[in-house]
Every structure is written in C-alpha cells, then in structure tokens.
mmCIF file of all heavy atoms in Angstrom:
data_model
loop_
_atom_site.group_PDB
_atom_site.id
_atom_site.type_symbol
_atom_site.label_atom_id
_atom_site.label_comp_id
_atom_site.label_asym_id
_atom_site.label_seq_id
_atom_site.Cartn_x
_atom_site.Cartn_y
_atom_site.Cartn_z
ATOM 1 N N ILE G 282 3.544 12.650 4.515
ATOM 2 C CA ILE G 282 4.379 11.939 5.490
ATOM 3 C C ILE G 282 5.661 12.704 5.802
ATOM 4 O O ILE G 282 6.146 12.684 6.922
ATOM 5 C CB ILE G 282 4.682 10.503 4.996
ATOM 6 C CG1 ILE G 282 3.437 9.639 5.197
ATOM 7 C CG2 ILE G 282 5.873 9.894 5.718
ATOM 8 C CD1 ILE G 282 3.514 8.267 4.615
ATOM 9 N N PHE G 283 6.176 13.391 4.804
ATOM 10 C CA PHE G 283 7.425 14.122 5.015
ATOM 11 C C PHE G 283 7.240 15.285 5.993
ATOM 12 O O PHE G 283 8.198 15.863 6.467
ATOM 13 C CB PHE G 283 7.997 14.590 3.671
ATOM 14 C CG PHE G 283 8.271 13.427 2.745
ATOM 15 C CD1 PHE G 283 7.424 13.137 1.688
ATOM 16 C CD2 PHE G 283 9.353 12.582 2.971
ATOM 17 C CE1 PHE G 283 7.659 12.043 0.865
ATOM 18 C CE2 PHE G 283 9.594 11.486 2.151
ATOM 19 C CZ PHE G 283 8.742 11.220 1.102
ATOM 20 N N HIS G 284 5.965 15.584 6.320
ATOM 21 C CA HIS G 284 5.665 16.638 7.303
ATOM 22 C C HIS G 284 5.103 16.037 8.589
ATOM 23 O O HIS G 284 4.694 16.771 9.481
ATOM 24 C CB HIS G 284 4.656 17.639 6.723
ATOM 25 C CG HIS G 284 5.076 18.191 5.397
ATOM 26 N ND1 HIS G 284 6.149 19.040 5.254
ATOM 27 C CD2 HIS G 284 4.597 17.971 4.150
ATOM 28 C CE1 HIS G 284 6.296 19.334 3.966
ATOM 29 N NE2 HIS G 284 5.371 18.697 3.283
ATOM 30 N N TRP G 285 5.040 14.718 8.662
ATOM 31 C CA TRP G 285 4.518 14.050 9.855
ATOM 32 C C TRP G 285 5.535 14.120 10.980
ATOM 33 O O TRP G 285 6.690 14.504 10.784
ATOM 34 C CB TRP G 285 4.185 12.593 9.561
ATOM 35 C CG TRP G 285 2.956 12.398 8.711
ATOM 36 C CD1 TRP G 285 2.181 13.356 8.128
ATOM 37 C CD2 TRP G 285 2.381 11.140 8.326
ATOM 38 N NE1 TRP G 285 1.170 12.784 7.416
ATOM 39 C CE2 TRP G 285 1.261 11.427 7.516
ATOM 40 C CE3 TRP G 285 2.695 9.805 8.586
ATOM 41 C CZ2 TRP G 285 0.458 10.430 6.976
ATOM 42 C CZ3 TRP G 285 1.897 8.815 8.044
ATOM 43 C CH2 TRP G 285 0.788 9.128 7.251
ATOM 44 N N LYS G 286 5.086 13.672 12.158
ATOM 45 C CA LYS G 286 5.953 13.631 13.334
ATOM 46 C C LYS G 286 7.087 12.619 13.096
ATOM 47 O O LYS G 286 6.844 11.494 12.693
ATOM 48 C CB LYS G 286 5.107 13.215 14.544
ATOM 49 C CG LYS G 286 5.846 13.228 15.861
ATOM 50 C CD LYS G 286 4.927 12.755 16.996
ATOM 51 C CE LYS G 286 5.709 12.628 18.272
ATOM 52 N NZ LYS G 286 5.027 11.807 19.258
ATOM 53 N N ASP G 287 8.334 13.033 13.320
ATOM 54 C CA ASP G 287 9.529 12.173 13.238
ATOM 55 C C ASP G 287 9.639 11.391 11.923
ATOM 56 O O ASP G 287 9.723 10.157 11.934
ATOM 57 C CB ASP G 287 9.562 11.181 14.426
ATOM 58 C CG ASP G 287 9.529 11.887 15.773
ATOM 59 O OD1 ASP G 287 10.076 12.997 15.874
ATOM 60 O OD2 ASP G 287 8.949 11.323 16.718
ATOM 61 N N PRO G 288 9.677 12.088 10.758
ATOM 62 C CA PRO G 288 9.688 11.363 9.482
ATOM 63 C C PRO G 288 10.892 10.438 9.310
ATOM 64 O O PRO G 288 10.756 9.351 8.738
ATOM 65 C CB PRO G 288 9.668 12.474 8.431
ATOM 66 C CG PRO G 288 10.082 13.714 9.146
ATOM 67 C CD PRO G 288 9.687 13.541 10.564
ATOM 68 N N GLU G 289 12.053 10.820 9.799
ATOM 69 C CA GLU G 289 13.224 9.949 9.615
ATOM 70 C C GLU G 289 13.060 8.637 10.375
ATOM 71 O O GLU G 289 13.445 7.573 9.897
ATOM 72 C CB GLU G 289 14.516 10.665 10.028
ATOM 73 C CG GLU G 289 15.006 11.665 8.989
ATOM 74 C CD GLU G 289 14.957 11.133 7.555
ATOM 75 O OE1 GLU G 289 15.523 10.047 7.292
ATOM 76 O OE2 GLU G 289 14.345 11.793 6.696
ATOM 77 N N GLU G 290 12.457 8.710 11.562
ATOM 78 C CA GLU G 290 12.220 7.468 12.313
ATOM 79 C C GLU G 290 11.193 6.601 11.608
ATOM 80 O O GLU G 290 11.291 5.368 11.624
ATOM 81 C CB GLU G 290 11.768 7.765 13.749
ATOM 82 C CG GLU G 290 11.690 6.474 14.560
ATOM 83 C CD GLU G 290 11.292 6.667 16.019
ATOM 84 O OE1 GLU G 290 11.202 7.812 16.484
ATOM 85 O OE2 GLU G 290 11.070 5.631 16.671
ATOM 86 N N LEU G 291 10.207 7.230 10.973
ATOM 87 C CA LEU G 291 9.214 6.463 10.213
ATOM 88 C C LEU G 291 9.903 5.560 9.191
ATOM 89 O O LEU G 291 9.603 4.375 9.085
ATOM 90 C CB LEU G 291 8.255 7.403 9.474
ATOM 91 C CG LEU G 291 7.187 8.113 10.292
ATOM 92 C CD1 LEU G 291 6.480 9.158 9.452
ATOM 93 C CD2 LEU G 291 6.182 7.112 10.835
ATOM 94 N N PHE G 292 10.851 6.142 8.452
ATOM 95 C CA PHE G 292 11.539 5.377 7.401
ATOM 96 C C PHE G 292 12.494 4.339 7.983
ATOM 97 O O PHE G 292 12.816 3.355 7.334
ATOM 98 C CB PHE G 292 12.261 6.316 6.441
ATOM 99 C CG PHE G 292 11.312 7.143 5.618
ATOM 100 C CD1 PHE G 292 11.233 8.507 5.779
ATOM 101 C CD2 PHE G 292 10.469 6.538 4.697
ATOM 102 C CE1 PHE G 292 10.337 9.263 5.038
ATOM 103 C CE2 PHE G 292 9.568 7.280 3.953
ATOM 104 C CZ PHE G 292 9.507 8.651 4.122
ATOM 105 N N ALA G 293 12.921 4.540 9.213
ATOM 106 C CA ALA G 293 13.757 3.533 9.875
ATOM 107 C C ALA G 293 12.906 2.340 10.310
ATOM 108 O O ALA G 293 13.391 1.214 10.392
ATOM 109 C CB ALA G 293 14.463 4.142 11.082
ATOM 110 N N LEU G 294 11.611 2.589 10.576
ATOM 111 C CA LEU G 294 10.724 1.546 11.090
ATOM 112 C C LEU G 294 10.051 0.725 9.998
ATOM 113 O O LEU G 294 9.716 -0.435 10.220
ATOM 114 C CB LEU G 294 9.635 2.179 11.975
ATOM 115 C CG LEU G 294 10.104 2.753 13.312
ATOM 116 C CD1 LEU G 294 9.029 3.658 13.908
ATOM 117 C CD2 LEU G 294 10.430 1.617 14.279
ATOM 118 N N ALA G 295 9.808 1.322 8.825
ATOM 119 C CA ALA G 295 9.034 0.621 7.795
ATOM 120 C C ALA G 295 9.435 1.053 6.395
ATOM 121 O O ALA G 295 9.973 2.139 6.197
ATOM 122 C CB ALA G 295 7.539 0.881 8.006
ATOM 123 N N HIS G 296 9.115 0.172 5.440
ATOM 124 C CA HIS G 296 9.213 0.509 4.016
ATOM 125 C C HIS G 296 7.852 1.094 3.643
ATOM 126 O O HIS G 296 6.826 0.581 4.087
ATOM 127 C CB HIS G 296 9.496 -0.759 3.202
ATOM 128 C CG HIS G 296 9.728 -0.483 1.760
ATOM 129 N ND1 HIS G 296 10.993 -0.405 1.225
ATOM 130 C CD2 HIS G 296 8.867 -0.245 0.741
ATOM 131 C CE1 HIS G 296 10.888 -0.135 -0.069
ATOM 132 N NE2 HIS G 296 9.611 -0.037 -0.374
ATOM 133 N N PHE G 297 7.814 2.155 2.867
ATOM 134 C CA PHE G 297 6.552 2.811 2.515
ATOM 135 C C PHE G 297 6.144 2.487 1.084
ATOM 136 O O PHE G 297 6.953 2.590 0.171
ATOM 137 C CB PHE G 297 6.656 4.327 2.730
ATOM 138 C CG PHE G 297 6.530 4.702 4.175
ATOM 139 C CD1 PHE G 297 7.561 4.446 5.071
ATOM 140 C CD2 PHE G 297 5.354 5.261 4.659
ATOM 141 C CE1 PHE G 297 7.427 4.751 6.418
ATOM 142 C CE2 PHE G 297 5.214 5.573 6.009
ATOM 143 C CZ PHE G 297 6.255 5.315 6.886
ATOM 144 N N ILE G 298 4.874 2.085 0.929
ATOM 145 C CA ILE G 298 4.304 1.775 -0.383
ATOM 146 C C ILE G 298 3.292 2.871 -0.696
ATOM 147 O O ILE G 298 2.303 3.035 0.018
ATOM 148 C CB ILE G 298 3.610 0.394 -0.375
ATOM 149 C CG1 ILE G 298 4.607 -0.708 -0.010
ATOM 150 C CG2 ILE G 298 2.947 0.124 -1.719
ATOM 151 C CD1 ILE G 298 3.972 -2.064 0.266
ATOM 152 N N ALA G 299 3.563 3.651 -1.743
ATOM 153 C CA ALA G 299 2.676 4.746 -2.148
ATOM 154 C C ALA G 299 1.797 4.254 -3.292
ATOM 155 O O ALA G 299 2.281 4.033 -4.405
ATOM 156 C CB ALA G 299 3.497 5.955 -2.577
ATOM 157 N N ALA G 300 0.512 4.062 -3.020
ATOM 158 C CA ALA G 300 -0.416 3.519 -4.018
ATOM 159 C C ALA G 300 -0.974 4.637 -4.890
ATOM 160 O O ALA G 300 -1.389 5.679 -4.392
ATOM 161 C CB ALA G 300 -1.552 2.781 -3.311
ATOM 162 N N THR G 301 -0.962 4.401 -6.202
ATOM 163 C CA THR G 301 -1.522 5.377 -7.145
ATOM 164 C C THR G 301 -2.560 4.699 -8.028
ATOM 165 O O THR G 301 -2.499 3.500 -8.255
ATOM 166 C CB THR G 301 -0.446 5.981 -8.074
ATOM 167 O OG1 THR G 301 0.009 4.965 -8.968
ATOM 168 C CG2 THR G 301 0.713 6.547 -7.298
ATOM 169 N N ARG G 302 -3.492 5.504 -8.522
ATOM 170 C CA ARG G 302 -4.509 5.018 -9.452
ATOM 171 C C ARG G 302 -4.136 5.478 -10.850
ATOM 172 O O ARG G 302 -3.418 6.461 -11.012
ATOM 173 C CB ARG G 302 -5.878 5.607 -9.097
ATOM 174 C CG ARG G 302 -6.451 5.087 -7.808
ATOM 175 C CD ARG G 302 -7.896 5.553 -7.670
ATOM 176 N NE ARG G 302 -7.961 6.891 -7.079
ATOM 177 C CZ ARG G 302 -8.266 7.124 -5.815
ATOM 178 N NH1 ARG G 302 -8.532 6.134 -5.011
ATOM 179 N NH2 ARG G 302 -8.319 8.351 -5.355
ATOM 180 N N PRO G 303 -4.643 4.785 -11.906
ATOM 181 C CA PRO G 303 -4.415 5.264 -13.269
ATOM 182 C C PRO G 303 -4.901 6.706 -13.399
ATOM 183 O O PRO G 303 -5.932 7.075 -12.836
ATOM 184 C CB PRO G 303 -5.268 4.323 -14.127
ATOM 185 C CG PRO G 303 -5.360 3.066 -13.314
ATOM 186 C CD PRO G 303 -5.383 3.520 -11.878
ATOM 187 N N GLY G 304 -4.122 7.518 -14.086
ATOM 188 C CA GLY G 304 -4.472 8.921 -14.239
ATOM 189 C C GLY G 304 -3.852 9.798 -13.167
ATOM 190 O O GLY G 304 -3.892 11.015 -13.257
ATOM 191 N N TYR G 305 -3.263 9.172 -12.143
ATOM 192 C CA TYR G 305 -2.609 9.966 -11.093
ATOM 193 C C TYR G 305 -1.354 10.608 -11.681
ATOM 194 O O TYR G 305 -0.606 9.971 -12.420
ATOM 195 C CB TYR G 305 -2.236 9.077 -9.899
ATOM 196 C CG TYR G 305 -1.585 9.856 -8.778
ATOM 197 C CD1 TYR G 305 -2.354 10.551 -7.851
ATOM 198 C CD2 TYR G 305 -0.203 9.927 -8.660
ATOM 199 C CE1 TYR G 305 -1.776 11.280 -6.835
ATOM 200 C CE2 TYR G 305 0.398 10.658 -7.631
ATOM 201 C CZ TYR G 305 -0.407 11.332 -6.733
ATOM 202 O OH TYR G 305 0.187 12.056 -5.733
ATOM 203 N N ASP G 306 -1.129 11.866 -11.355
ATOM 204 C CA ASP G 306 0.014 12.602 -11.905
ATOM 205 C C ASP G 306 1.294 12.242 -11.141
ATOM 206 O O ASP G 306 1.625 12.867 -10.140
ATOM 207 C CB ASP G 306 -0.268 14.106 -11.820
ATOM 208 C CG ASP G 306 0.844 14.936 -12.468
ATOM 209 O OD1 ASP G 306 1.782 14.337 -13.034
ATOM 210 O OD2 ASP G 306 0.761 16.174 -12.404
ATOM 211 N N LEU G 307 2.002 11.238 -11.647
ATOM 212 C CA LEU G 307 3.224 10.793 -10.980
ATOM 213 C C LEU G 307 4.310 11.861 -11.014
ATOM 214 O O LEU G 307 5.142 11.929 -10.120
ATOM 215 C CB LEU G 307 3.762 9.516 -11.643
ATOM 216 C CG LEU G 307 3.418 8.197 -10.958
ATOM 217 C CD1 LEU G 307 4.095 7.047 -11.667
ATOM 218 C CD2 LEU G 307 3.795 8.190 -9.477
ATOM 219 N N ALA G 308 4.290 12.708 -12.051
ATOM 220 C CA ALA G 308 5.292 13.774 -12.143
ATOM 221 C C ALA G 308 5.174 14.706 -10.942
ATOM 222 O O ALA G 308 6.177 15.132 -10.368
ATOM 223 C CB ALA G 308 5.109 14.557 -13.439
ATOM 224 N N HIS G 309 3.930 14.985 -10.544
ATOM 225 C CA HIS G 309 3.685 15.832 -9.364
ATOM 226 C C HIS G 309 4.258 15.149 -8.123
ATOM 227 O O HIS G 309 4.924 15.778 -7.314
ATOM 228 C CB HIS G 309 2.178 16.066 -9.206
ATOM 229 C CG HIS G 309 1.786 16.646 -7.882
ATOM 230 N ND1 HIS G 309 2.079 17.939 -7.522
ATOM 231 C CD2 HIS G 309 1.143 16.101 -6.815
ATOM 232 C CE1 HIS G 309 1.621 18.162 -6.303
ATOM 233 N NE2 HIS G 309 1.056 17.067 -5.845
ATOM 234 N N PHE G 310 4.011 13.850 -7.998
ATOM 235 C CA PHE G 310 4.503 13.099 -6.843
ATOM 236 C C PHE G 310 6.024 13.115 -6.811
ATOM 237 O O PHE G 310 6.635 13.370 -5.783
ATOM 238 C CB PHE G 310 3.981 11.651 -6.895
ATOM 239 C CG PHE G 310 4.431 10.805 -5.732
ATOM 240 C CD1 PHE G 310 3.827 10.930 -4.500
ATOM 241 C CD2 PHE G 310 5.463 9.891 -5.873
ATOM 242 C CE1 PHE G 310 4.231 10.162 -3.415
ATOM 243 C CE2 PHE G 310 5.882 9.119 -4.803
ATOM 244 C CZ PHE G 310 5.265 9.253 -3.580
ATOM 245 N N GLU G 311 6.642 12.852 -7.958
ATOM 246 C CA GLU G 311 8.102 12.787 -8.022
ATOM 247 C C GLU G 311 8.741 14.150 -7.759
ATOM 248 O O GLU G 311 9.830 14.235 -7.205
ATOM 249 C CB GLU G 311 8.543 12.216 -9.376
ATOM 250 C CG GLU G 311 8.304 10.706 -9.431
ATOM 251 C CD GLU G 311 8.275 10.143 -10.834
ATOM 252 O OE1 GLU G 311 8.419 10.919 -11.802
ATOM 253 O OE2 GLU G 311 8.083 8.924 -10.946
ATOM 254 N N ALA G 312 8.037 15.220 -8.128
ATOM 255 C CA ALA G 312 8.556 16.567 -7.872
ATOM 256 C C ALA G 312 8.511 16.903 -6.383
ATOM 257 O O ALA G 312 9.380 17.590 -5.866
ATOM 258 C CB ALA G 312 7.755 17.595 -8.660
ATOM 259 N N GLU G 313 7.477 16.396 -5.712
ATOM 260 C CA GLU G 313 7.252 16.733 -4.306
ATOM 261 C C GLU G 313 7.956 15.791 -3.334
ATOM 262 O O GLU G 313 8.313 16.176 -2.236
ATOM 263 C CB GLU G 313 5.748 16.702 -3.997
ATOM 264 C CG GLU G 313 4.937 17.730 -4.754
ATOM 265 C CD GLU G 313 5.090 19.117 -4.184
ATOM 266 O OE1 GLU G 313 5.218 19.241 -2.958
ATOM 267 O OE2 GLU G 313 5.113 20.075 -4.976
ATOM 268 N N ALA G 314 8.094 14.516 -3.720
ATOM 269 C CA ALA G 314 8.592 13.502 -2.782
ATOM 270 C C ALA G 314 9.920 12.935 -3.258
ATOM 271 O O ALA G 314 10.119 12.725 -4.441
ATOM 272 C CB ALA G 314 7.573 12.363 -2.673
ATOM 273 N N PRO G 315 10.821 12.685 -2.332
ATOM 274 C CA PRO G 315 12.079 12.045 -2.722
ATOM 275 C C PRO G 315 11.847 10.558 -3.006
ATOM 276 O O PRO G 315 12.073 9.708 -2.170
ATOM 277 C CB PRO G 315 12.977 12.253 -1.503
ATOM 278 C CG PRO G 315 12.051 12.487 -0.365
ATOM 279 C CD PRO G 315 10.768 13.008 -0.915
ATOM 280 N N THR G 316 11.331 10.258 -4.232
ATOM 281 C CA THR G 316 11.040 8.862 -4.566
ATOM 282 C C THR G 316 12.322 8.048 -4.639
ATOM 283 O O THR G 316 12.285 6.837 -4.607
ATOM 284 C CB THR G 316 10.310 8.743 -5.915
ATOM 285 O OG1 THR G 316 11.009 9.525 -6.878
ATOM 286 C CG2 THR G 316 8.878 9.200 -5.802
ATOM 287 N N ALA G 317 13.438 8.737 -4.742
ATOM 288 C CA ALA G 317 14.699 8.019 -4.736
ATOM 289 C C ALA G 317 14.988 7.480 -3.341
ATOM 290 O O ALA G 317 15.917 6.715 -3.145
ATOM 291 C CB ALA G 317 15.824 8.947 -5.179
ATOM 292 N N HIS G 318 14.181 7.906 -2.370
ATOM 293 C CA HIS G 318 14.336 7.419 -1.007
ATOM 294 C C HIS G 318 14.256 5.896 -1.056
ATOM 295 O O HIS G 318 13.301 5.338 -1.601
ATOM 296 C CB HIS G 318 13.227 7.992 -0.113
ATOM 297 C CG HIS G 318 13.545 7.907 1.347
ATOM 298 N ND1 HIS G 318 13.649 6.705 2.002
ATOM 299 C CD2 HIS G 318 13.792 8.859 2.271
ATOM 300 C CE1 HIS G 318 13.935 6.927 3.273
ATOM 301 N NE2 HIS G 318 14.025 8.232 3.468
ATOM 302 N N PRO G 319 15.239 5.199 -0.523
ATOM 303 C CA PRO G 319 15.253 3.735 -0.646
ATOM 304 C C PRO G 319 14.095 3.046 0.062
ATOM 305 O O PRO G 319 13.823 1.882 -0.185
ATOM 306 C CB PRO G 319 16.591 3.339 -0.001
ATOM 307 C CG PRO G 319 16.959 4.492 0.868
ATOM 308 C CD PRO G 319 16.379 5.713 0.225
ATOM 309 N N LYS G 320 13.381 3.774 0.918
ATOM 310 C CA LYS G 320 12.291 3.155 1.665
ATOM 311 C C LYS G 320 10.908 3.531 1.115
ATOM 312 O O LYS G 320 9.905 3.403 1.797
ATOM 313 C CB LYS G 320 12.375 3.571 3.141
ATOM 314 C CG LYS G 320 13.540 2.975 3.910
ATOM 315 C CD LYS G 320 13.405 1.462 4.014
ATOM 316 C CE LYS G 320 13.998 0.828 5.230
ATOM 317 N NZ LYS G 320 13.314 0.888 6.469
ATOM 318 N N VAL G 321 10.837 4.034 -0.137
ATOM 319 C CA VAL G 321 9.549 4.381 -0.744
ATOM 320 C C VAL G 321 9.440 3.691 -2.102
ATOM 321 O O VAL G 321 10.327 3.816 -2.940
ATOM 322 C CB VAL G 321 9.391 5.909 -0.950
ATOM 323 C CG1 VAL G 321 8.063 6.235 -1.640
ATOM 324 C CG2 VAL G 321 9.500 6.652 0.369
ATOM 325 N N THR G 322 8.335 2.947 -2.303
ATOM 326 C CA THR G 322 8.076 2.310 -3.584
ATOM 327 C C THR G 322 6.689 2.742 -4.045
ATOM 328 O O THR G 322 5.746 2.736 -3.252
ATOM 329 C CB THR G 322 8.097 0.767 -3.461
ATOM 330 O OG1 THR G 322 9.332 0.367 -2.892
ATOM 331 C CG2 THR G 322 7.924 0.105 -4.820
ATOM 332 N N VAL G 323 6.571 3.116 -5.320
ATOM 333 C CA VAL G 323 5.269 3.468 -5.880
ATOM 334 C C VAL G 323 4.615 2.193 -6.404
ATOM 335 O O VAL G 323 5.262 1.388 -7.072
ATOM 336 C CB VAL G 323 5.419 4.514 -7.009
ATOM 337 C CG1 VAL G 323 4.080 4.766 -7.702
ATOM 338 C CG2 VAL G 323 5.980 5.821 -6.455
ATOM 339 N N MET G 324 3.347 1.988 -6.086
ATOM 340 C CA MET G 324 2.596 0.821 -6.537
ATOM 341 C C MET G 324 1.355 1.294 -7.277
ATOM 342 O O MET G 324 0.537 2.041 -6.734
ATOM 343 C CB MET G 324 2.185 -0.028 -5.319
ATOM 344 C CG MET G 324 1.273 -1.186 -5.665
ATOM 345 S SD MET G 324 0.711 -2.114 -4.190
ATOM 346 C CE MET G 324 -0.482 -0.980 -3.476
ATOM 347 N N ASN G 325 1.214 0.880 -8.525
ATOM 348 C CA ASN G 325 0.015 1.220 -9.290
ATOM 349 C C ASN G 325 -1.075 0.197 -8.995
ATOM 350 O O ASN G 325 -0.813 -1.002 -8.973
ATOM 351 C CB ASN G 325 0.316 1.219 -10.790
ATOM 352 C CG ASN G 325 1.193 2.395 -11.164
ATOM 353 O OD1 ASN G 325 0.843 3.534 -10.914
ATOM 354 N ND2 ASN G 325 2.345 2.116 -11.741
ATOM 355 N N ILE G 326 -2.291 0.690 -8.769
ATOM 356 C CA ILE G 326 -3.421 -0.212 -8.560
ATOM 357 C C ILE G 326 -4.480 0.084 -9.617
ATOM 358 O O ILE G 326 -4.506 1.177 -10.180
ATOM 359 C CB ILE G 326 -4.022 -0.082 -7.141
ATOM 360 C CG1 ILE G 326 -4.467 1.354 -6.870
ATOM 361 C CG2 ILE G 326 -3.074 -0.589 -6.091
ATOM 362 C CD1 ILE G 326 -5.327 1.494 -5.649
ATOM 363 N N PRO G 327 -5.357 -0.891 -9.899
ATOM 364 C CA PRO G 327 -6.406 -0.667 -10.905
ATOM 365 C C PRO G 327 -7.302 0.510 -10.524
ATOM 366 O O PRO G 327 -7.399 0.879 -9.359
ATOM 367 C CB PRO G 327 -7.201 -1.980 -10.877
ATOM 368 C CG PRO G 327 -6.270 -2.991 -10.308
ATOM 369 C CD PRO G 327 -5.379 -2.251 -9.353
ATOM 370 N N ALA G 328 -7.959 1.060 -11.521
ATOM 371 C CA ALA G 328 -8.812 2.234 -11.302
ATOM 372 C C ALA G 328 -10.018 1.887 -10.448
ATOM 373 O O ALA G 328 -10.759 0.969 -10.750
ATOM 374 C CB ALA G 328 -9.285 2.784 -12.647
#
C-alpha cells in the first residue's frame, strides 16, 4: 500500500486493518511498514 497510488490520501480516507495469520513474521512487517502510523492496526486471525 505504501507504494500504491496516493498513499497519503488513502490514510486520510480510511483506517487500515492488516490481517495476519499465526506464524506470520510480524518483525518483517514492522521493519517494512510504519506500524506506528495511527491509521494502521494489525489484526491476528486464526490459522
């Protein structure tokens, strides 16, 4: 998403929920994405 068209406007329009499965490498996600972004929440879902 951070490489999509008009990413700043995306975050102005919606809150983003990033769904992960058990075993997903959250460290990789946190290294790549500004999870501190107030409009992004990580949600764990069952496997």
